[in-house]
Amino acid sequence: MLLETGFPSLWVAGEISNFKRYDSGHCYFSLKDANAQVRCVMFRGRAALLDFAPREGLQVEVRAVVSLYEARGDFQLTIEAMRMAGQGALFERFEALKKQLASEGLFASERKQALPHFPRAIGIVTSPAAAALRDVLSTLARRMPNIPVILYPTAVQGADAPAQIVRAIGLAAARQEVDTLIVCRGGGSLEDLWSFNEEIVARAIAACPIPTVSGVGHETDFTIADFVADVRAPTPTAAAELVSPNRHELLGRLAQLKQRQARVMQYHLQQHMQKLDQISRRLVHPGQRLVQQKRDVSQKSRQLQQQFHFILSRQQQNMARLSLRLAHLKPETISARQALHQRQQRLQRSMWQGLERQQHRLQQAQLQLAPWDPQQVLARGYALVTRPSGDLVRLATDVRAGEMLNVRFSDETIAVEVRQGIQQQTELGL
């Protein structure tokens, strides 16, 4: 108890030795350096929080409290947290660079570029041997296989990786052959991902004119590249899903739009068909119109003749009355008789001329109507085909074999029987 209360929680660095994990989940090992070693225990609850697997020979840093294993009287360290050696300094560098770049506005949302909905080509900055590349390519092939993919190869781990990543991003920006760029690699320790925490990589991503997606590590991993990129994806696979439209969703949407268009077209077609039916009901057959016009002409001709005879009769009556008056007045002078005779002749000529003009107009009207006379059409060699019911047969495709029809010529109507129709010819290959 004195050991546990007498020493505060402290950080100890060393190499793991004699590591054992029991079925209970508790871990027992020794932590050693060149001069000494100490027994350690890490209980199941704390061990479950580790993001890596401890193993023999691994250099680690542990936060521990001093304790005593009373059953054997052994001095030991009870481990509360463990991290890879050197992560403390790396984390401090990470936080310092993050604070610096944030103060410069490189993380500001207003400088972020929107990803295109339908990219013409997608670029990938990663290692050709990385498993992340296979995940990205398989995801893009599944979602939208027709989008071209261009790889800008680079190392993603090691001392040369940051410079190579910067060159790959610069190459993509210079070529301008893609409109979306994925910078990605798979998961790993803080040291494995450190290339994406370097300042030169962060500034290259921030200066890239192409919308950039960072997909580095697993969902719980964060790098400086995530903050400066236009979009951060939790995994490389998620990055591929962010930059590519879903082909199946688009096809489904297209099918919905196609069905909607078909419904709209069907609706408008029905509307126009109804309007056409209404108009067709108001239309009059040319034959019926011709018969009606012929009746109107005949009626007007009779009216003109009656009117002419009425006017002529009344003029004759007027002349008779004038003659009687003249007879009573006894205008026996030759000049008066001649003038009366001349007026009589002029009147008669005027009446006959008027009659001739009316007859001429009547003849002209009859000549204009003659081509529309059904009898004249039949006289030119045409025939009128009807069913026994009187319905007019307009199309040959309406006739069936064995059907009785009436054929009217200019002089007579005969009954005929159809031996073979158009449809039977089609079926026989004629």
Side-chain angles (χ1 to χ4, degrees), residues 110-180:
E110 55 267 19
R111 60 165 295 277
K112 304 289 186 180
Q113 303 180 77
L115 300 180
H117 293 293
F118 297 96
R120 58 184 173 85
I122 297 173
I124 304 175
V125 175
T126 192
S127 170
L133 177 61
R134 293 191 296 272
D135 295 340
V136 170
L137 292 178
S138 62
T139 302
L140 293 177
R142 171 175 52 84
R143 290 175 62 86
M144 190 58 70
N146 62 315
I147 298 180
V149 178
I150 299 175
L151 174 65
Y152 301 96
T154 177
V156 293
Q157 185 174 340
D160 297 334
Q164 292 188 28
I165 295 172
V166 171
R167 282 196 298 271
I169 295 173
L171 181 62
R175 288 183 177 178
Q176 289 292 315
E177 55 194 353
V178 299
D179 46 16
T180 303

Side-chain angles (χ1 to χ4, degrees), residues 253-269:
R253 177 60 177 163
L254 183 61
Q256 292 177 356
L257 292 175
K258 185 177 180 181
Q259 292 176 357
R260 181 180 176 185
Q261 184 184 36
R263 289 194 299 268
V264 172
M265 291 181 62
Q266 183 66 26
Y267 170 77
H268 286 294
L269 182 61

Side-chain angles (χ1 to χ4, degrees), residues 94-294:
F94 176 89
E95 288 296 329
L97 181 59
K98 179 181 175 184
K99 183 177 181 180
Q100 175 190 343
L101 297 180
S103 65
E104 296 179 16
L106 268 64
F107 302 164
S109 58
E110 55 267 19
R111 60 165 295 277
K112 304 289 186 180
Q113 303 180 77
L115 300 180
H117 293 293
F118 297 96
R120 58 184 173 85
I122 297 173
I124 304 175
V125 175
T126 192
S127 170
L133 177 61
R134 293 191 296 272
D135 295 340
V136 170
L137 292 178
S138 62
T139 302
L140 293 177
R142 171 175 52 84
R143 290 175 62 86
M144 190 58 70
N146 62 315
I147 298 180
V149 178
I150 299 175
L151 174 65
Y152 301 96
T154 177
V156 293
Q157 185 174 340
D160 297 334
Q164 292 188 28
I165 295 172
V166 171
R167 282 196 298 271
I169 295 173
L171 181 62
R175 288 183 177 178
Q176 289 292 315
E177 55 194 353
V178 299
D179 46 16
T180 303
L181 190 64
I182 298 175
V183 179
C184 65
R185 68 148 288 161
S189 64
L190 183 61
E191 290 90 345
D192 295 338
L193 305 180
W194 190 255
S195 297
F196 298 91
N197 290 321
E198 293 289 352
E199 182 176 358
I200 59 172
V201 174
R203 294 192 181 279
I205 294 175
C208 183
I210 304 172
T212 306
V213 178
S214 173
V216 179
H218 297 303
E219 187 170 356
T220 56
D221 296 323
F222 280 89
T223 64
I224 298 297
D226 294 333
F227 295 104
V228 295
D230 295 302
V231 178
R232 184 252 177 185
T235 62
T237 299
E241 293 176 349
L242 284 173
V243 302
S244 61
N246 191 324
R247 177 174 177 270
H248 297 292
E249 290 180 359
L250 292 177
L251 290 176
R253 177 60 177 163
L254 183 61
Q256 292 177 356
L257 292 175
K258 185 177 180 181
Q259 292 176 357
R260 181 180 176 185
Q261 184 184 36
R263 289 194 299 268
V264 172
M265 291 181 62
Q266 183 66 26
Y267 170 77
H268 286 294
L269 182 61
Q270 290 177 353
Q271 294 293 319
H272 288 297
M273 290 178 64
Q274 292 177 2
K275 187 178 293 184
L276 182 61
D277 290 340
Q278 294 174 359
I279 295 173
S280 63
R281 284 195 292 268
R282 294 201 299 267
L283 289 176
V284 179
H285 192 274
Q288 297 177 353
R289 188 183 294 264
L290 184 62
V291 172
Q292 181 63 38
Q293 289 178 348
K294 188 175 181 180

Side-chain angles (χ1 to χ4, degrees), residues 36-62:
Q37 64 177 351
V38 60
R39 291 181 180 274
C40 302
V41 59
M42 191 173 194
F43 295 113
R44 177 178 57 193
R46 298 291 184 175
L49 299 177
L50 294 177
D51 58 356
F52 67 97
R55 62 182 184 274
E56 191 79 16
L58 196 64
Q59 294 288 334
V60 296
E61 296 172 351
V62 299

